[in-house]
Amino acid sequence: MLVTTALAPALWGTTYLTTTMLLPEDRPLLAATLRALPAGILLLILCRRLPRGAWWWKSWVLGMLNIGAFFALLFIAAYRLPGGVAAIMGGIQPLVIALLASRVLHERLTSRVVTAGATGLIGVCLIVLQAQARLDAVGLLAAIGGTLSMASGIVLTKKWGQPAPPLTTTAWQLIAGGLSLLVLMLVIEGLPIAPLTPPNIIGYTYLSVIGTAFAYVMWFRGIARLAASTTAFLGLLSPVVAILLGWLIASENLTPMQIAGIVIVLSSISAAIISKPAQAARASKTLAEEPAR
């Protein structure tokens, strides 16, 4: 379960490089809309099931937090920040989610979680501070806002549960968020004037099918079965993948301090997750027994 859930943030780490290399410039809302809405429609065609009762408004709230607001802020950050830096700002997410989960879900805020979260944040700060790039204030605020939005969405998703399989609930959220993004895009950016190029189409298709439809099904499946703080630490894989791809493909500099930061981040993930397989197993067993109870 940990491995399949970890695929989601690893794939999200490719968003920044894909955006800068394949997508048209200065169209963050178009990118967010074309990433979310087609993916939601595809999944809805596969599951053929609509929300019922309170899940109409719950899907909209979760869709805005996990998809609509998050995607809009994510792409604003991706367009205004260099590769990897926007994703690295997600380093505060484990601490935010651990705090919210302790208040809303009554998960224990242990010293191990706090220490691992602080260590992970130090690691990502090392990567950011050593980046040879201009840090745009609006881009940084957008990255932080996106992190807070997704953190709230993860905790609410865990609190409300999932009334249907992950593929179905993911479709609901993607469509709710995608429709909201569509309205926002038409008001602020308008329809694109220039036709999309083949690289644009490849980029949007990859982000929608692989980076969104597949990744979010794996992500929400993991949220349903793992503790909220566990999925939060898996999210730290996104900045690691982003910075490594920037070095491997975009020829960005990777300094010794950045390498140390990556090692620290991976160590914090190990301390918070991999070293506690028994606890994760107990959580999965408890969840499996809930329907019987």
Side-chain angles (χ1 to χ4, degrees):
M1 179 55 62
L2 284 172
V3 174
T4 56
T5 306
L7 284 175
L11 289 171
W12 295 335
T14 67
T15 300
Y16 306 95
L17 189 64
T18 303
T19 299
T20 55
M21 295 186 66
L22 297 176
L23 302 190
E25 296 181 358
D26 301 324
R27 295 304 305 262
L29 294 178
L30 173 65
T33 303
L34 291 183
R35 178 180 177 183
L37 194 53
I41 294 173
L42 173 63
L43 293 182
L44 188 62
I45 291 173
L46 294 175
C47 69
R48 298 182 181 181
R49 180 175 173 182
L50 294 175
R52 294 181 180 179
W55 274 97
W56 282 101
W57 68 265
K58 286 183 177 181
S59 296
W60 183 85
V61 171
L62 294 177
M64 286 303 299
L65 291 173
N66 288 319
I67 308 298
F70 174 64
F71 277 16
L73 294 169
L74 174 74
F75 279 101
I76 290 173
Y79 275 105
R80 301 184 70 100
L81 293 175
V85 175
I88 290 164
M89 297 309 297
I92 66 174
Q93 185 166 286
L95 290 175
V96 174
I97 292 179
L99 179 60
L100 288 176
S102 68
R103 300 293 183 180
V104 179
L105 305 176
H106 306 294
E107 292 184 5
R108 287 188 60 196
L109 187 61
T110 65
S111 57
R112 177 191 289 270
V113 170
V114 174
T115 302
T119 303
L121 182 57
I122 291 172
V124 296
C125 285
L126 286 176
I127 301 173
V128 172
L129 293 176
Q130 294 300 314
Q132 302 297 317
R134 176 178 58 86
L135 300 181
D136 178 80
V138 174
L140 289 175
L141 289 175
I144 294 173
T147 297
L148 295 176
S149 177
M150 189 171 190
S152 302
I154 288 174
V155 174
L156 271 183
T157 300
K158 187 71 175 178
K159 179 178 177 62
W160 288 342
Q162 298 187 36
L167 186 146
T168 302
T169 56
T170 302
W172 298 345
Q173 293 189 44
L174 285 172
I175 290 180
L179 290 175
S180 301
L181 285 168
L182 177 62
V183 174
L184 193 63
M185 181 202 73
L186 293 175
V187 172
I188 297 177
E189 291 183 355
L191 293 173
I193 299 176
L196 297 179
T197 65
N200 296 160
I201 295 174
I202 292 173
Y204 286 130
T205 301
Y206 167 78
L207 289 178
S208 184
V209 177
I210 306 299
T212 301
F214 173 76
Y216 268 93
V217 170
M218 294 297 101
W219 182 245
F220 289 130
R221 181 170 173 263
I223 288 177
R225 303 187 183 187
L226 301 172
S229 57
T230 299
T231 54
F233 278 94
L234 289 176
L236 291 178
L237 291 172
S238 180
V240 172
V241 171
I243 201 68
L244 289 176
L245 285 178
W247 171 61
L248 288 171
I249 298 177
S251 300
E252 295 178 356
N253 292 331
L254 188 62
T255 68
M257 290 298 289
Q258 287 177 306
I259 296 174
I262 292 172
V263 172
I264 291 174
V265 167
L266 295 178
S267 299
S268 72
I269 296 174
S270 300
I273 299 174
I274 301 176
S275 62
K276 299 187 296 178
Q279 180 178 345
R282 285 196 299 271
S284 298
K285 182 179 179 181
T286 300
L287 181 70
E289 293 173 350
E290 284 182 358
R293 291 200 298 267

